[in-house]
Amino acid sequence: MNVLVIGANGQIGTHLVNQLQENKDHEVTAMVRKEEQLEELKQRGINAVLANLEDSVDDIANAMKGADAVVFTAGSGGSTGADKTLLIDLDGAVKSVEAAEKTGVKRFVMISAFQAHNRDSWADNPIKHYMVAKHFADEKLTESSLDYTIIRPGGLLNDPAIGKIEASENLERGSIPREDVASTVVEVLDAKNTFHKGFDLITGETSIKDAVGKI
């Protein structure tokens, strides 16, 4: 499976690209928006394409050509304003879904936010605009023709991977290393039991393989 990673230069995306590059069952293409990022990846032997989520659906679709699956792990980041959240986390995600449908890519994995499906859980959240963006991007994906999986990780850590998770539709808030989020993505790519489902994800007591198998 050739997997296009959107947001390949982000923190989860970097882990994911590295894991897919080493995975014998998959090939990876990293989508980035800066020429210097593209060159750095190519120097490491990683296939990469240049595209910007603020460009057109057709531009994003061109970057997807040849992909069998798409993982959306892009984000505007905490240092930008609400306008960039709308442009990247919402509209960029929606355009990526539309581009996947346009190019015939069926498999789509979305990295969302913890409890993004549950409005009541973020009613008083200081980054409510971000949660709203994630919520409606996910809604668009669920209404699409794609074989989607939506992963909603808890508090993201830069700690070393633990390799054990808890994954369910609704969980009490927790945290998880970004590296384990990436490993979960790799595990769900071929897991048909996760198609058309979304789940919260935190560190737990079950191996990633077994936890994904029970979703």
Side-chain angles (χ1 to χ4, degrees):
M1 184 183 290
N2 190 335
V3 184
L4 177 75
V5 178
I6 299 178
N9 203 54
Q11 296 187 78
I12 293 173
T14 298
H15 285 297
L16 181 57
V17 167
N18 291 339
Q19 291 182 23
L20 288 170
Q21 182 73 354
E22 296 172 0
N23 189 295
K24 60 181 176 59
D25 296 323
H26 302 300
E27 296 178 356
V28 63
T29 300
M31 182 178 129
V32 292
R33 63 185 179 87
K34 295 181 180 179
E35 189 71 41
E36 57 266 33
Q37 296 168 346
L38 182 81
E39 292 306 317
E40 181 184 351
L41 286 161
K42 287 185 173 181
Q43 286 175 10
R44 292 169 50 203
I46 296 171
N47 189 40
V49 292
L50 200 63
N52 192 321
L53 291 172
E54 294 186 52
D55 291 341
S56 70
V57 172
D58 285 342
D59 288 333
I60 298 168
N62 283 335
M64 287 185 184
K65 287 180 179 177
D68 303 303
V70 171
V71 180
F72 187 93
T73 183
S76 59
S79 61
T80 60
D83 56 338
K84 282 293 186 183
T85 301
L86 287 175
L87 290 170
I88 303 301
D89 298 87
L90 177 51
D91 196 41
V94 169
K95 285 191 286 190
S96 297
V97 171
E98 293 172 352
E101 290 186 306
K102 190 179 183 75
T103 55
V105 178
K106 292 295 292 180
R107 187 72 175 113
F108 198 107
V109 179
M110 178 79 84
I111 304 299
S112 183
F114 192 81
Q115 285 284 294
H117 64 307
N118 179 7
R119 282 194 180 99
D120 291 341
S121 73
W122 37 267
D124 299 318
N125 195 312
I127 54 168
K128 189 174 181 178
H129 62 284
Y130 170 76
M131 300 303 296
V132 169
K134 287 296 191 183
H135 176 85
F136 284 103
D138 294 352
E139 283 289 295
K140 174 68 175 180
L141 179 55
T142 63
E143 293 167 0
S144 75
S145 62
L146 305 178
D147 292 328
Y148 67 84
T149 301
I150 299 169
I151 300 175
R152 302 187 296 264
L156 294 168
L157 306 173
N158 287 324
D159 297 350
I162 296 170
K164 293 188 176 182
I165 61 170
E166 186 174 359
S168 185
E169 184 177 359
N170 292 289
L171 293 173
E172 292 296 318
R173 186 157 186 88
S175 58
I176 184 167
R178 288 178 169 88
E179 191 173 356
D180 282 333
V181 177
S183 297
T184 303
V185 172
V186 175
E187 191 63 39
V188 305
L189 279 170
D190 289 318
K192 291 186 177 180
N193 64 298
T194 69
F195 286 15
H196 308 116
K197 292 180 182 178
F199 57 89
D200 292 344
L201 178 69
I202 59 173
T203 294
E205 300 297 328
T206 306
S207 72
I208 292 172
K209 183 178 180 63
D210 288 348
V212 167
K214 294 174 183 175
I215 290 169

